[in-house]
Amino acid sequence: MPEPKKPDKDSTLSKITENTTIIPGDGPQRHELHIIGLAVAIIEGQNKGTEFPITFNRMTIGRKNTDIILDDPLISRKHAEIEVLGRGYYFVKDLASSNGTLVNGVLITNQRVHPFDKIQVGGTVMTIIEK
């Protein structure tokens, strides 16, 4: 009996189920996303009320030269990264920042997050929203 053919990584994004093991950082390289209404909303801090559309599968957060630039002196230049593996499959990774990244008050290195989880970098708190 022939071995089952392994699907390539790009085609599996649309077939993720609850029983799928997801390895963040092991997905495809950075590419444009086509998920309408996906955004990061700032809920506390100097940029409160601002929304940043998530337009790529990997987006960096920081003070300079990142996808999401925030006015917060407690944030590193490149502080954290949001990775999207598909709708509902979001991860936040700390990029060896000086002050760390928290999810719902817990210091993390790489963590799966859900819409409305509180992601804190420096004095800024944000959440992922699906419109």
Side-chain angles (χ1 to χ4, degrees):
M1 185 164 164
E3 291 222 8
K5 186 178 169 186
K6 279 186 157 183
D8 68 330
K9 290 180 184 175
D10 289 336
S11 69
T12 60
L13 291 178
S14 61
K15 298 176 185 175
I16 293 175
T17 67
E18 285 301 315
N19 297 324
T20 302
T21 301
I22 298 172
I23 303 169
D26 195 36
Q29 295 299 315
R30 181 178 158 108
H31 64 270
E32 212 171 335
L33 277 181
H34 301 286
I35 300 176
I36 297 170
L38 191 59
V40 172
I42 308 302
I43 55 176
E44 292 178 30
Q46 292 182 27
N47 298 97
K48 183 178 179 179
T50 306
E51 289 185 7
F52 298 91
I54 298 177
T55 54
F56 291 92
N57 65 318
R58 292 184 178 166
M59 293 192 57
T60 53
I61 302 166
R63 283 186 292 118
K64 295 184 178 188
N65 301 323
T66 58
D67 300 303
I68 298 172
I69 298 173
L70 300 170
D71 294 327
D72 185 337
L74 299 175
I75 294 176
S76 298
R77 284 187 196 116
K78 288 193 176 181
H79 195 105
E81 178 182 72
I82 294 175
E83 182 176 12
V84 178
L85 297 182
R87 186 170 284 282
Y89 291 87
Y90 315 121
F91 291 84
V92 174
K93 177 181 178 182
D94 184 76
L95 298 177
S97 66
S98 299
N99 293 319
T101 301
L102 290 87
V103 173
N104 298 325
V106 178
L107 189 64
I108 60 98
T109 53
N110 196 349
Q111 174 73 40
R112 182 174 178 191
V113 294
H114 300 88
F116 303 106
D117 280 347
K118 291 183 176 182
I119 302 161
Q120 182 173 350
V121 293
T124 302
V125 180
M126 64 194 79
T127 189
I128 294 176
I129 57 172
E130 299 172 331
K131 295 182 183 178

